[in-house]
């Protein structure tokens, strides 16, 4: 009799266990800024999973958000996780239901402005590329037999280290400034990202070219002064495409508000699966 009475209790405990565990967990969405690449999103996820009290995390680079699973009622864990990400260079804050649509509108406006600015930087960067390539175009003119044109005052001037250095410096301080500042800040915070790699590569190339121009005996090539122009142009091309993708279909079309409300409703009832 004692064994028979124990079996239903065990069965009930087995059936209620997973449900009770699900009821003890809750998922909170964080708005996370500063993510520039897949490496950034992976780093954010890794940092969240290492945070005490966090049971699971999923990060979306495109929507700049993170879904954090914690024990029910442990909002202090979420606040601590957001504060930790902010200190690491990824500004984060919990997304509340009352301000979700306002946050979405503000984020959409910011992404649209970033896309516009990225296009301006892209145009400026590739304009500098054309100026740099004007000197190298002289090699083609030689092949075509236009030797006098290849040695005009303008073509000769564009090949001097002074002009190459000016174009490289303008690329670093102009269209590439935001990228470089973010890269070095992330590196200083101990959380390097793709911008950090670009910042180190472009600044190092420019430094080597400058050293070669000032001290020819070092054996380096002064053409390194032009490398930041080419590097930043291609990087900014990718960033412009990313910024345009982040704007997404909600930026256009008459059903933007309805789409945002549908997204909000879906978020309330969706189930996150963590890898």
């Amino acid at each position: 009799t004692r064994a028979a009475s124990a079996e239903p209790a065990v069965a009930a405990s087995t059936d209620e266990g997973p449900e009770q565990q699900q009821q003890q967990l809750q998922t909170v969405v964080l708005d996370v800024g500063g993510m520039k690449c897949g490496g950034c999103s992976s780093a954010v996820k890794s940092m969240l999973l290492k945070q005490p009290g966090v049971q699971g995390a999923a990060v979306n680079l495109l929507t700049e958000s993170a879904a954090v699973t914690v024990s029910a009622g442990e909002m202090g864990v979420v606040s601590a996780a957001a504060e930790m990400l902010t200190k690491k260079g990824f500004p984060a804050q919990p997304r509340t239901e009352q301000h979700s649509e306002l946050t979405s509108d503000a984020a959409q406006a910011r992404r649209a402005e970033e896309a516009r600015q990225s296009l301006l930087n892209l145009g400026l960067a590739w304009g500098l590329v054309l100026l740099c390539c004007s000197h190298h175009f002289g090699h083609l003119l030689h092949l075509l037999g236009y030797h006098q044109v290849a040695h005009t005052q303008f073509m000769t001037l564009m090949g001097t280290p002074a002009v190459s250095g000016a174009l490289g410096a303008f690329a670093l301080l102009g269209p590439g400034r935001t990228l470089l500042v973010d890269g070095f800040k992330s590196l200083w915070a101990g959380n390097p990202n793709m911008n950090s790699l670009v910042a180190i590569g472009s600044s190092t190339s420019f430094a080597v070219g400058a050293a070669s121009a000032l001290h020819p005996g070092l054996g380096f090539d002064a053409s390194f002064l032009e490398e930041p122009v080419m590097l930043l142009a291609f990087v900014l091309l990718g960033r412009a495409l990313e910024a345009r993708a982040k704007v997404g279909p909600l930026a256009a079309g008459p059903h933007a508000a309805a789409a945002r409300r549908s997204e909000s409703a879906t978020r309330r009832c969706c189930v996150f699966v963590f890898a």
Side-chain angles (χ1 to χ4, degrees):
T1 304
R2 199 176 297 169
S5 61
E7 290 180 359
V10 173
S13 176
T14 304
D15 293 339
E16 293 176 2
E19 295 180 1
Q20 291 177 350
Q21 290 178 357
Q22 290 180 359
Q23 292 175 358
Q24 292 173 357
L25 298 178
Q26 69 176 119
T27 299
V28 180
V29 178
L30 296 177
D31 291 313
V32 184
M35 295 188 295
K36 305 296 183 183
C37 61
C40 293
S41 59
S42 297
V44 168
K45 180 178 180 180
S46 178
M47 287 187 289
L48 286 173
L49 292 176
K50 293 178 181 178
Q51 185 72 8
V54 173
Q55 305 296 326
V59 180
N60 191 313
L61 175 63
L62 189 61
T63 60
E64 298 178 322
S65 62
V68 182
T69 300
V70 297
S71 299
E74 294 291 337
M75 289 303 296
V77 174
V78 178
S79 300
E83 184 179 355
M84 177 272 298
L85 290 178
T86 301
K87 290 181 179 179
K88 290 293 186 179
F90 299 101
Q93 61 180 359
R95 179 184 299 176
T96 60
E97 204 60 44
Q98 294 87 337
H99 300 88
S100 60
E101 188 150 338
L102 177 62
T103 303
S104 177
D105 291 339
Q108 192 66 25
R110 176 177 54 79
R111 291 168 188 162
E113 175 60 25
E114 288 178 353
R116 187 190 69 83
Q117 186 62 44
S118 66
L119 287 177
L120 293 177
N121 289 335
L122 180 64
L124 185 57
W126 280 95
L128 294 175
V129 169
L130 291 177
L131 288 176
C132 285
C133 290
S134 61
H135 166 67
H136 301 287
F137 185 66
H139 300 297
L140 178 60
L141 293 176
H142 278 299
L143 291 177
L144 296 176
Y146 298 101
H147 305 291
Q148 294 181 346
V149 178
H151 290 286
T152 59
Q153 184 176 2
F154 173 78
M155 299 294 287
T156 303
L157 180 64
M158 295 305 296
T160 60
V163 173
S164 298
L167 293 175
F170 188 79
L172 291 171
L173 300 177
R177 181 177 61 86
T178 302
L179 187 149
L180 264 64
V181 170
D182 177 77
F184 283 121
K185 285 177 64 177
S186 298
L187 184 63
W188 180 260
N191 188 40
N193 55 21
M194 188 62 67
N195 286 349
S196 302
L197 296 177
V198 176
I200 293 174
S202 57
S203 59
T204 300
S205 175
F206 184 82
V208 171
S212 177
L214 295 174
H215 302 282
L218 293 176
F220 297 113
D221 192 345
S223 63
F224 278 108
L225 290 167
E226 299 178 353
E227 294 302 320
V229 178
M230 304 298 296
L231 175 60
L232 290 172
F234 282 102
V235 171
L236 289 173
L237 174 60
R239 294 300 162 83
L241 295 175
E242 290 177 5
R244 183 59 185 170
K246 285 184 177 181
V247 173
L250 295 181
H255 306 295
R260 282 194 289 271
R261 286 193 295 269
S262 175
E263 179 189 7
S264 178
T266 302
R267 185 168 55 247
R268 288 196 297 267
C269 62
C270 68
V271 177
F272 291 93
V273 179
F274 302 100

